[in-house]
Amino acid sequence: MIAGVSFLAMLAVGMPIAFALAALGLIYIFATGNLILLQSYGQQMFGGLENYGLLALPLFILLGEFMNAGGIGRRLMALALAMLGSIRGGLAYVNLVANMMMAAILGSTVAQITIMSRLAVPEMEKAGYPRDVSVAITAAGGLLAPIIPPSMLFIIFGVIAQIPIGDLFISGIVPGLLIFLAFIGVIMWLGRRHGFPKTEAMPIRARFRAVLDALPAAAIPVIIVGSILGGLATPTESAAIASLAAVLIGLFVYREMTPADILPAFLNAARGSATVLFLIAAAQVFSWVITFENLPALVAETMQAMTASPIVFLLMLNVLLLVLGMISDPIPAIILIVPVFLPVATGVYGIDPFHFGVVLCLNLTLGLLTPPVGTGLFVASLMGKVKAERLAVLLMPFFFAVLSVLLLLVVFPVLSTGLKDLL
C-alpha cells in the first residue's frame, strides 16, 4: 500500500516514470523491512535488459536515422505517387500509402509523423489541399507504425511478455491492413467534404523513372518483412541487415549520405535507445514488486467476479487503455499494464498472448494523438503549424475508424492470430 501511494505521488509531482519505477522497488523493500531483497535489486534491473530480442530496438532506431539521412523517405513518397493514377484526392492516398511503406521501416509513430510532415504536407498544400486536413492525414498515417512490422511497441511487449517477437510482427500484418483500408474510407469521405483536387496523371516515362529510382528504397521493407516471414532472419537480424542496406543505398546509390553522417546517426540512435532501455530495466523492478504484492492474482479475482466472458473482459480493458493512453505514452503504459493483465488474460480468460498484444498496442497508440499528453498530436501540430485543438477535431474520423478495427479484433481474434497460425 505504501509503495503504491508513493508511486502515484512520484508521478503526480512529475518524476520521470523510469525513475519512479526504479524507486518503487526500493520503497517496497524498506516499507516491508525485507532488506535481503536489496541483494537482488541490481540483478533484477539488469535482468530486464538481458534479452536478445531487445537488441532489435536500437537497430530499428538506427535504421530510421540512416533512412532519414539517405533520402529514402522521399523516394518512397515518389513511388506512392507513381503507383496512383489521375484520381480525386490522389495526394491524400499517396500520403497514406507512403506512410504504410514508412511504417514497415521505422516502427515509430513520432518518427514517422516527423518525417512525413516534412515530405507530404508541403506538397499537398502546394496542390491545393487545406493545410490542417493535410496535417491530420499525415498524423493519422502515423498510427500504422506501431502495428505494421517492425514495431517498437511490439518489441517491448514481446520482451515483457516473453513471446517470440517475429510471431508478434506477423500478428500485426492483417490488423495493419484493416486500419489502412479504414483510413482509405475516411479519406474518401474527407475528399467529398473538402473538395480535394484531382491528381494529374504522371507521364509513363516519369512514372517508370520514379519506380526505378525507388526500387532500392523499397527493398528495405521487403528485406525486413520478407526475411522474418520467410524464416530467414530474426527481427534483430533483419534490422541489422536493413540498417546496412540503408547505409549502402544512401552512400552509393542515392549519394545523399556521406561518411560524416554515419557517426551522428549512431549517436542519435544511442540516445534514443538508452532512454527506452532504462525504462525497460526499471520495468523489471516494477514487475518484481507487483509479483511480491500478488497483484495479478488480486486483479484476476476481481475480473472473474465481474465477468466470465473474454470479450467483455477485453472491452472493459480497452476502455481502461483508452483512458490510460490519454495521460501516458504507450511505452510506460505497456510496462504498467502487461505484468498485471497479461497473466489474467491468458490464465483466466484463455486469450492468445499475441492477440492481447496487438489489441493492447493498437489501443495505446491512439493516446499518441489524443490530448492532454498526445506526443504525436503535438509533434504534428508543431511540424505542420496547425493548432493542436483543430488537429484533434480533424483526427476524430480516423480515431473512430481505429476503434472500429479494435472492436473487430476483440470479437474476431483470428484477424490477429490467423496469419501467424497459418505460417
Side-chain angles (χ1 to χ4, degrees), residues 49-62:
L49 300 178
E50 203 174 17
N51 189 302
Y52 174 74
L54 270 181
L55 188 57
L57 191 64
L59 287 172
F60 277 121
I61 294 174
L62 182 64

Side-chain angles (χ1 to χ4, degrees), residues 36 62 66 74-75 90 95 133 138 144 161 169 178 180 191 195 200 221 228 233 270 378 390:
I36 193 71
L62 182 64
F66 286 150
R74 185 163 50 82
R75 264 77 178 194
N95 189 344
V133 177
T138 304
L144 294 167
F169 280 178
L178 288 175
F180 176 74
E200 293 183 10
I228 294 172
F378 292 110
R390 172 63 179 161

Side-chain angles (χ1 to χ4, degrees), residues 147-149 154 168-178 225 229 419:
I147 300 302
I148 292 180
F154 279 177
L168 195 54
F169 280 178
I170 294 170
S171 299
I173 292 176
V174 172
L177 292 175
L178 288 175
V225 179
L229 288 179
L419 184 60

Side-chain angles (χ1 to χ4, degrees), residues 5 38 41 150 153 157 188 283 400:
V5 171
L38 279 175
Y41 182 87
L153 296 188
F157 177 87
M188 289 175 65
F400 286 114

